[in-house]
Amino acid sequence: MRIVEARVIVTCPGRNFVTLKIVTDEGVTGVGDATLNGRELAVASYLEDHVVPALIGRDPSRIEDTWQFLYKGAYWRRGPVTMTAIAAVDTALWDIKGKAAGLPVYQLLGGRSREGVTVYGHANADDVESVLSEISSYVALGYRAVRVQTGIPGLESTYGVGGDKMFYEPADAALPTENIWSTAHYLDHVPKVFAEVRAEFGPTLKLLHDVHHRLTPIEAARLGKSLEPYALTWIEDPVPAELQEGFRLIRQHTTTPIAVGEVFNSIWDCQELITSQLIDYIRTTVVHAGGITHLRRIFDFAALYHVRSGSHGATDLSPVCMAAALHVDVAIPNFGLQEYMRHTPETDEVFPHGYHFADGYLHPSEEPGLGVDINEELAARYPYRPASLPINRLEDGTMHSW
């Protein structure tokens, strides 16, 4: 079997997605997600100009060799664009291998380690009363874990809080929207939110909160300490992760678990955090961390240090990525949680898939391969639309982390 064609498909059924479809001489095809939120066309160009020509004639069964070829052969290694492009190829090759073997991909990864994948939804609202109602809605749907975000009193808008509660999309304009941020208002408000949430829902519902990289290490330590009475499953991205030593300071002051890694692209980005046990959950994803091959390598490494998976799963990850993630999630021994933001009906039509939600769990498809595809005719009806993530400034106008 040889690769004879590879197509890069850009579509926008409500938000932008980039998909790679690989075709073999035996008619077996595979798909991989190549979406990099706000920088989609950079990856599309990387694939079309540099990767696709190198794939033609290759043996699709040589997944590891192809991964090493694309990673080591580029010279300019790592980075979000390169690793997202490699991920698309890798994911598509696993899809082909599963179809050729007549097995769902998780069977090729060692089979099931659990019956279902525990997912968490996003409850967000402008105020505490409204967010309690949103949490109730998720609990009624069967969710066992919920991320909680609210507006901050005194601030006009807050990243992570949107108008459409089920299909929230933060990339809202061609050029970045600028919001105003106040750490003082935030640190005062968030503990009050979780006090009310715990009082309403009791001790068993898993609660999570995303800080979105906005604090310094000592500020994050204060937040974690103030949230300890409410037993969160994790606080996510408490500080920008470039200074990994900062996590040591957080660790010294709080026992609130920490999750980080959705913006990481390789095992090297999280090596120190894992080996020093400075985090509890690693949130790397199939699409941004080099595909199934490299993500499995990260999770296996993390397992040695009692770090569990908690993969990113926002709407900018297409159903192709979600399908691939579930095959990994159901197979690895150190699974923690999987983020699950539902896609719009338009997106689900463009990407027909076999995974499904029931009782708080997502279940991977039992079809050979990943169990997902792209309807190229339908995708062509939704042209690319520029969209950027918002940014934050402090009240005095200083640029801040988003």
Side-chain angles (χ1 to χ4, degrees), residues 147-378:
R147 193 186 87 168
V148 180
Q149 312 286 139
T150 72
I152 309 300
L155 302 182
E156 280 190 24
S157 59
T158 305
Y159 183 86
V161 178
D164 192 322
K165 305 308 179 190
M166 189 61 74
F167 306 113
Y168 169 59
E169 173 50 59
D172 59 358
L175 297 177
T177 300
E178 296 194 10
N179 297 322
I180 300 299
W181 174 255
S182 167
T183 297
H185 289 319
Y186 171 77
L187 290 175
D188 176 66
H189 179 64
V190 170
K192 299 174 184 175
V193 173
F194 282 94
E196 293 202 37
V197 172
R198 268 292 175 233
E200 179 75 16
F201 294 96
T204 58
L205 181 66
K206 295 179 185 294
L207 299 177
L208 306 91
H209 178 69
D210 193 346
V211 186
H212 291 117
H213 321 270
R214 291 175 180 150
L215 303 179
T216 64
I218 200 66
E219 291 166 347
R222 174 184 161 189
L223 175 67
K225 190 74 173 177
S226 69
L227 292 174
E228 285 178 12
Y230 314 116
L232 271 65
T233 296
W234 75 48
I235 54 172
E236 176 186 341
D237 293 336
V239 296
E242 289 94 329
L243 179 62
Q244 300 198 350
E245 185 67 21
F247 285 81
R248 196 178 306 279
L249 179 60
I250 303 172
R251 206 58 143 178
Q252 289 169 350
H253 291 282
T254 180
T255 58
T256 297
I258 299 169
V260 72
E262 71 180 63
V263 300
F264 291 171
N265 309 125
S266 78
I267 198 168
W268 305 108
D269 296 327
C270 50
Q271 179 190 16
E272 175 64 21
L273 293 175
I274 291 172
T275 56
S276 296
Q277 299 181 65
L278 300 179
I279 59 173
D280 302 278
Y281 296 87
I282 180 67
R283 287 183 37 76
T284 43
T285 68
V286 171
V287 65
H288 298 142
I292 292 173
T293 296
H294 195 63
L295 187 65
R296 179 64 188 261
R297 191 164 288 137
I298 292 171
F299 289 162
D300 284 346
F301 176 61
L304 300 177
Y305 297 90
H306 307 289
V307 175
R308 291 184 282 178
S309 73
S311 287
H312 181 57
T315 49
D316 59 298
L317 279 60
S318 84
V320 174
C321 181
M322 181 57 71
L326 294 175
H327 286 281
V328 176
D329 291 337
V330 84
I332 60 172
N334 57 323
F335 171 77
L337 284 173
Q338 170 67 56
E339 182 178 17
Y340 176 45
M341 290 182 70
R342 294 168 185 253
H343 292 106
T344 63
E346 293 81 6
T347 296
D348 286 338
E349 287 179 350
V350 171
F351 297 95
H353 55 267
Y355 64 79
H356 67 281
F357 175 84
D359 249 358
Y361 301 111
L362 273 177
H363 301 272
S365 171
E366 293 296 332
E367 302 168 41
L370 296 175
V372 65
D373 206 346
I374 182 168
N375 183 328
E376 294 183 63
E377 182 179 345
L378 189 55

